[in-house]
Amino acid sequence: MNAPSTAISGLARRLVLDKLLSDSQAADASAQALREKQPLAQYLVNGKLVDALSLAGAASDEFGTPLVNLDTISKDSLPKGLVDQKLIKKHHALPLYRRGNRLFIAIADPTNLHALDEIKFHTGITTDPILVEADKLTKAIDDFIQSQEESLGDTLGGLDEDSLDDLDIEAVDEEAMPGADEAAEADEAPIVRFINKVLLDAIKGNASDIHFEPYEKTYRVRFRTDGILHEVTKPPNNLATRLAARLKVMSQMDISERRVPQDGRIKMKISKSRAIDFRVNTLPTLFGEKIVLRILDPSSAKLGIDALGYEDNQKKLYLDALHQPQGMILVTGPTGSGKTVSLYTGLNILNTPERNISTAEDPVEINLEGINQVQINTRVGLTFAESLRSFLRQDPDIVMVGEIRDLETAEIGIKAAQTGHLVLSTLHTNSAPETLTRLLNMGVPAFNVATTVSLIIAQRLARRLCNACKKPADDIPKEILRQEGFDDIGVAPADIQLFHPVGCSQCTNGYKGRVGVYEVVRITPKISALIMEGGNALQIANLAKEEGFNNLRVSALRKAAEGLTSLEEANRVTKD
């Protein structure tokens, strides 16, 4: 027998030696498979040039790769979520099982080393080839992918697909983005519908955040509703990369970058007159990218001060401070306590054609027409302090600084307030008195603090009781009410009617919506004098109480006594 042509090698050469192909057939098949970007084994079996079993046997003998009958492997035991479906389709390779840090991959062409290398790169797991018959591998891959689509279909069961497909999401130029191939993969109809359903459900449920979280064996989606996280669905964990890819496409991120956090935004029009923005952040975790979406509803900034839950005297203090020509108003509280809404509400009250208003925010959460909003970008040197300096050269009337984080920003803000501007900002402190001592500890001179800060608002958000199902709490002894501090609210414990949460179809565990709890302290002459004398937070708190300003605890108990929230919730948000 003549030796095979030197123009062919590897598997094709072996098939010629075994008389399964002629020299010309092998050369033509190799060239055609290359043009069609198919593995040679798959091309030969699809074209019925060599039967699958003979080809697999020849390949196993040539390369010493173990040959396995796919019929003996249970499809239910295949590892899910380790290898992205795009890679499985691209390389015609299927993960069979995992042993420790080794992943065994079914392939029909043992020369396809690129497939093993790319799967190893994406999974971080060493790959070993297992040779199988090409026709059985094709069927196994089709069955595997179909089973995953059916799993997603079960998760999506009962949806109105037309409404989900037709949601108006701000267009993204995917061709101009890195990873355009992955973007196309992410746009598969079931994935699009699933993401759209989650976003719509979150909006309808008045959620503030959506968490997409991959773990080793599970994947979950959670909503933060009324300040509390709860799980809403658990899609198949092998969809993690596709869900992440879809969200990154929608928010115009680099879809090929998975190693560092990224930020983006999504705009969704849910009606002709209403659009919702989502602030999106990705975080590389041990088992994939966790993605959190903050829901930014512009209508929340236009609720009006009456909807926020201020007591009448507190509302008057805030409005009076807003209409002062200069001074500093500080809003404090932990993340998620509603500081941004309080600030935006104040800015909307002040937003008239006669005033020049500028804000420096990190990030800009809600766009406000008529207000000049600056997005902080520390990587290029655009800090709060630098923005504030620029504002003062722009003929401002009112300035809002998203957060006072350092002495430099505090000093520039103080100087702006002293030179005829109204300055609004936030700090992360627990109470109004602690805000004053925080500024002093930063290094701001006591005289500047005492003469410049005009009002401090400390706040929390408490879950509001559902009016449809709340029930009277007649089981709480009056002595307990006294111990909780109800004597301080000006109502006798005997005259107080509290309520317990129950839970019904209209609410979540007995609560629906949230109400603000506030401590509003005006800096009076007596408080100014105490600051300059070096008074500590406790002394300032006692003096504020004497001056008639309620602390957070008293405000929360009043909300409970009014039937707006429960004693348990008041304790959760204000009790140390």
Side-chain angles (χ1 to χ4, degrees):
M1 184 189 83
N2 295 330
S5 166
T6 55
I8 57 174
S9 60
L11 179 60
R13 183 181 180 85
R14 179 70 196 201
L15 294 173
V16 172
L17 290 172
D18 288 354
K19 299 183 179 179
L20 294 172
L21 288 176
S22 67
D23 200 52
S24 60
Q25 284 178 319
D28 291 344
S30 298
Q32 190 61 29
L34 188 63
R35 281 193 291 270
E36 295 183 11
K37 297 181 180 179
Q38 281 192 56
L40 177 60
Q42 184 182 355
Y43 176 81
L44 291 172
V45 171
N46 289 347
K48 298 183 179 180
L49 297 172
V50 180
D51 74 88
L53 183 57
S54 299
L55 188 147
S60 178
D61 291 341
E62 176 69 15
F63 297 99
T65 306
L67 177 62
V68 171
N69 184 357
L70 263 181
D71 293 337
T72 63
I73 296 178
S74 169
K75 306 301 185 290
D76 295 332
S77 67
L78 298 179
K80 299 175 178 63
L82 281 178
V83 182
D84 190 87
Q85 288 189 21
K86 178 176 69 67
L87 288 178
I88 292 174
K89 293 177 181 177
K90 175 182 176 181
H91 295 300
H92 202 63
L94 183 67
L96 289 183
Y97 53 91
R98 180 177 180 176
R99 296 288 182 270
N101 198 39
R102 306 192 79 83
L103 184 63
F104 293 86
I105 306 293
I107 56 175
D109 185 351
T111 64
N112 189 13
L113 301 179
H114 178 60
L116 301 175
D117 290 341
E118 190 167 354
I119 291 173
K120 178 181 178 180
F121 174 78
H122 281 274
T123 61
I125 304 171
T126 300
T127 54
D128 288 318
I130 296 291
L131 203 59
V132 298
E133 297 163 55
D135 54 348
K136 291 181 179 179
L137 178 59
T138 299
K139 184 178 186 306
I141 289 174
D142 291 343
D143 291 345
F144 180 80
I145 291 174
Q146 183 179 352
S147 71
Q148 303 315 299
E149 298 296 347
E150 289 173 353
S151 295
L152 182 57
D154 293 340
T155 306
L156 284 166
L159 297 185
D160 179 357
E161 295 187 5
D162 292 335
S163 65
L164 292 174
D165 285 334
D166 294 339
L167 276 177
D168 187 2
I169 295 173
E170 195 167 86
V172 177
D173 183 9
E174 292 168 11
E175 293 302 319
M177 293 171 56
D181 291 342
E182 293 188 43
E185 190 75 20
D187 277 344
E188 297 172 10
I191 297 294
V192 171
R193 291 198 301 274
F194 177 77
I195 294 293
N196 289 352
K197 173 178 167 53
V198 170
L199 300 189
L200 275 179
D201 285 351
I203 294 169
K204 291 175 182 176
N206 294 315
S208 61
D209 301 86
I210 311 170
H211 292 238
F212 291 84
E213 302 172 307
Y215 297 97
E216 183 176 12
K217 296 181 180 178
T218 59
Y219 190 95
R220 71 178 176 183
V221 179
R222 294 190 291 172
F223 292 169
R224 186 179 293 279
T225 306
D226 298 335
I228 306 296
L229 278 169
H230 63 277
E231 186 177 293
V232 291
T233 186
K234 296 183 74 170
N237 69 326
N238 62 298
L239 299 177
T241 55
R242 294 163 65 192
L243 293 173
R246 173 61 185 165
L247 288 167
K248 289 163 76 174
V249 166
M250 294 167 68
S251 49
Q252 304 188 48
M253 296 181 190
D254 182 350
I255 199 169
S256 63
E257 179 57 79
R258 302 184 182 93
R259 299 163 298 174
V260 297
Q262 295 187 69
D263 291 294
R265 291 178 81 97
I266 298 171
K267 180 182 286 291
M268 176 187 284
K269 291 184 179 179
I270 56 178
S271 70
K272 290 183 178 179
S273 60
R274 188 183 179 198
I276 302 291
D277 284 341
F278 298 84
R279 191 182 78 213
V280 188
N281 176 265
T282 69
L283 178 69
T285 66
L286 192 60
F287 299 105
E289 289 179 287
K290 173 173 179 173
I291 301 181
V292 176
L293 287 74
R294 166 65 58 89
I295 301 174
L296 308 172
D297 187 353
S299 62
S300 66
K302 301 177 182 177
L303 291 173
I305 195 168
D306 292 326
L308 300 185
Y310 286 98
E311 298 171 23
D312 289 342
N313 64 321
Q314 293 176 333
K315 181 173 70 173
K316 184 178 185 305
L317 288 170
Y318 190 20
L319 290 174
D320 288 347
L322 286 171
H323 289 100
Q324 294 298 313
Q326 63 187 49
M328 177 177 280
I329 299 173
L330 297 174
V331 182
T332 78
T335 300
S337 59
K339 299 188 298 297
T340 300
V341 172
S342 285
L343 284 176
Y344 280 4
T345 299
L347 290 176
N348 273 318
I349 292 170
L350 297 169
N351 188 13
T352 63
E354 297 82 25
R355 294 187 175 103
N356 176 21
I357 304 175
S358 296
T359 73
E361 304 172 60
D362 185 19
V364 174
E365 295 196 355
I366 297 173
N367 297 329
L368 299 175
E369 188 72 25
I371 293 177
N372 309 294
Q373 295 173 275
V374 174
Q375 169 71 54
I376 294 303
N377 187 345
T378 54
R379 287 178 294 182
V380 298
L382 186 58
T383 61
F384 282 118
E386 191 59 38
S387 298
L388 201 44
R389 285 194 191 92
S390 296
F391 291 166
L392 297 179
R393 296 190 288 270
Q394 292 260 321
D395 183 31
D397 295 300
I398 296 153
V399 169
M400 194 270 272
V401 183
E403 183 183 349
I404 294 177
R405 296 178 179 173
D406 51 47
L407 176 59
E408 184 183 19
T409 306
E411 286 180 332
I412 300 171
I414 292 281
K415 186 176 295 184
Q418 290 173 334
T419 54
H421 307 96
L422 181 63
V423 178
L424 293 81
S425 190
T426 72
L427 272 86
H428 283 94
T429 56
N430 293 323
S431 67
E434 289 177 34
T435 303
L436 295 168
T437 55
R438 171 69 62 83
L439 290 172
L440 295 172
N441 292 336
M442 279 184 179
V444 179
F447 176 80
N448 285 342
V449 174
T451 59
T452 305
V453 178
S454 55
L455 189 79
I456 302 176
I457 301 172
Q459 66 181 79
R460 303 288 187 276
L461 289 176
R463 289 181 291 171
R464 188 188 291 267
L465 282 168
C466 174
N467 288 324
C469 66
K470 66 181 181 181
K471 69 174 184 178
D474 298 326
D475 55 341
I476 304 177
K478 302 306 178 185
E479 182 57 34
I480 296 297
L481 297 183
R482 291 190 179 91
Q483 292 175 12
E484 292 287 352
F486 279 93
D487 285 338
D488 295 334
I489 72 171
V491 180
D495 298 330
I496 292 173
Q497 177 64 72
L498 300 182
F499 292 88
H500 283 316
V502 178
C504 65
S505 60
Q506 300 180 33
C507 65
T508 304
N509 299 325
Y511 297 98
K512 185 176 183 181
R514 289 191 284 181
V515 62
V517 175
Y518 303 94
E519 175 185 23
V520 182
V521 176
R522 179 171 58 85
I523 307 305
T524 64
K526 286 185 178 181
I527 294 176
S528 292
L530 182 56
I531 293 169
M532 286 189 283
E533 291 169 6
N536 59 36
L538 182 58
Q539 292 171 320
I540 296 171
N542 290 334
L543 181 55
K545 183 178 179 181
E546 291 175 13
E547 295 277 87
F549 304 121
N550 295 329
N551 61 25
L552 282 166
R553 179 64 180 166
V554 170
S555 296
L557 293 179
R558 283 190 171 178
K559 292 292 191 298
E562 293 168 9
L564 295 175
T565 191
S566 65
L567 178 57
E568 299 94 327
E569 188 67 4
N571 286 338
R572 184 182 73 85
V573 298
T574 65
K575 199 168 185 178
D576 294 334

